[in-house]
Amino acid sequence: MVLMEITTHLRKMHTSLDEQGVAQYILPVFDVLENTGSYSMNSLVGEKVSIHFEGEINCVESGVKIKKTFGEGLSYAVWLKSPLASPSIIRPELSRIHEGIALRDFDWEQAHHNQPHYTYLSRTSGIKVGVTRLTNKVSRWIDQGATEGIVLAEVPYRQLAGLIEVALKDHLADKTAWQAMLKNEMTSRETLLNVKNQMLDLLPPEFESFFSDNDEITQISYPVLKYPTKIKSMKLDNINQFTGILSGIKGQYLIFDDGTVFNVRSHAGYKVKFEFAG
């Protein structure tokens, strides 16, 4: 059996749903800013995997070497001005590009935020409300580790989806309880369709016309052999090498059989070497 290596400056894994409803994970391979290939991570589940931190971090937008990342793999200087760190990323209700007003980058916000969006419900452990572009729905649910999702409202631009989300935050969570998600603990058994119908009664009248009549529920399963009962989060700033049996992948986390979990997305820009038997 040959020992294989992949060295990459990390980015979040690309995700999709196969015909059986199983989340598929592809790791993009980068040499600083150059995309040099990709690798299917599903094939590593059940295998012994080593992660080595090469001691180098590069900003995912400028490529400069940095000691610490801000946002998702950005240098501090880039984080201050990049549209990837725009306030309307975290708080969609702040977007104003539909009015012709950009918070950071006019062209980028036109392409990403002045576009049709969904306000949705998903089940991670409990049921949460969130916002995403029409073209990003399923990958958004997979990234957060949701086991199912449903469209609540369809709107023409991002701010409106965010305002609907804000209107429902008193009734639903808008954050993922990530440890419960990784343990596959379900804190609510109520159906998404029932909750969706309850939200219609709670929506302010000005948003009711955007309520979606699409009641299809997308079911998502994950390549996980065993869920942990205790979670140990690994940060490469504190440990530069780890070896374990990869027992699954959920959200943007690699889950190992001893309960160690590694968030790939939060390590964007870190140069790492994966070793495994091929």
Side-chain angles (χ1 to χ4, degrees), residues 93-277:
E93 70 274 14
L94 298 181
S95 175
R96 298 187 64 189
I97 192 62
H98 59 287
E99 303 174 50
I101 300 171
L103 302 185
R104 290 280 175 94
D105 184 298
F106 185 88
D107 291 339
W108 189 95
E109 291 173 46
Q110 278 283 5
H112 293 84
H113 289 180
N114 196 17
Q115 300 293 331
H117 276 62
Y118 290 133
T119 308
Y120 64 82
L121 302 179
S122 64
R123 187 189 308 276
T124 51
S125 54
I127 296 174
K128 69 179 291 293
V129 61
V131 167
T132 193
R133 295 196 312 275
L134 261 63
T135 55
N136 201 42
K137 178 183 67 174
V138 174
S139 61
R140 174 64 176 153
W141 291 339
I142 295 174
D143 282 351
Q144 64 188 215
T147 56
E148 55 184 0
I150 192 172
V151 174
L152 177 76
E154 301 179 37
V155 300
Y157 52 85
R158 186 172 181 82
Q159 185 203 54
L160 189 51
L163 291 173
I164 293 173
E165 179 187 41
V166 168
L168 298 178
K169 281 183 180 180
D170 287 342
H171 311 285
L172 291 170
D174 64 331
K175 301 287 190 302
T176 298
W178 65 272
Q179 291 197 8
M181 178 273 290
L182 289 172
K183 295 177 184 178
N184 206 36
E185 295 176 347
M186 296 301 158
T187 59
S188 171
R189 297 293 177 182
E190 195 161 11
T191 69
L192 285 188
L193 186 55
N194 282 346
V195 175
K196 175 179 175 176
N197 290 331
Q198 291 169 19
M199 294 305 104
L200 175 58
D201 294 333
L202 297 170
L203 272 180
E206 63 267 28
F207 300 136
E208 289 180 1
S209 63
F210 300 104
F211 192 79
S212 175
D213 59 5
N214 178 3
D215 290 336
E216 178 185 2
I217 295 176
T218 299
Q219 303 285 346
I220 303 169
S221 60
Y222 292 87
V224 178
L225 301 177
K226 181 183 71 172
Y227 284 102
T229 55
K230 292 185 178 180
I231 300 291
K232 296 181 289 184
S233 181
M234 176 174 63
K235 292 290 292 182
L236 293 180
D237 305 274
N238 304 320
I239 180 173
N240 58 16
Q241 183 172 329
F242 176 83
T243 299
I245 303 298
L246 183 64
S247 63
I249 311 173
K250 192 176 185 185
Q252 282 285 325
Y253 288 87
L254 305 183
I255 305 170
F256 291 89
D257 64 345
D258 67 347
T260 297
V261 299
F262 177 68
N263 188 329
V264 174
R265 186 173 191 169
S266 71
H267 287 86
Y270 285 64
K271 185 178 182 181
V272 303
K273 179 172 65 176
F274 290 96
E275 291 183 344
F276 49 90

Side-chain angles (χ1 to χ4, degrees), residues 18 31 35 39-41 57 59 88 101 113 115 123 150 204 237 274:
D18 70 10
D31 180 3
N35 187 190
Y39 194 85
S40 170
M41 297 299 285
I57 309 172
C59 173
S88 54
I101 300 171
H113 289 180
Q115 300 293 331
R123 187 189 308 276
I150 192 172
D237 305 274
F274 290 96

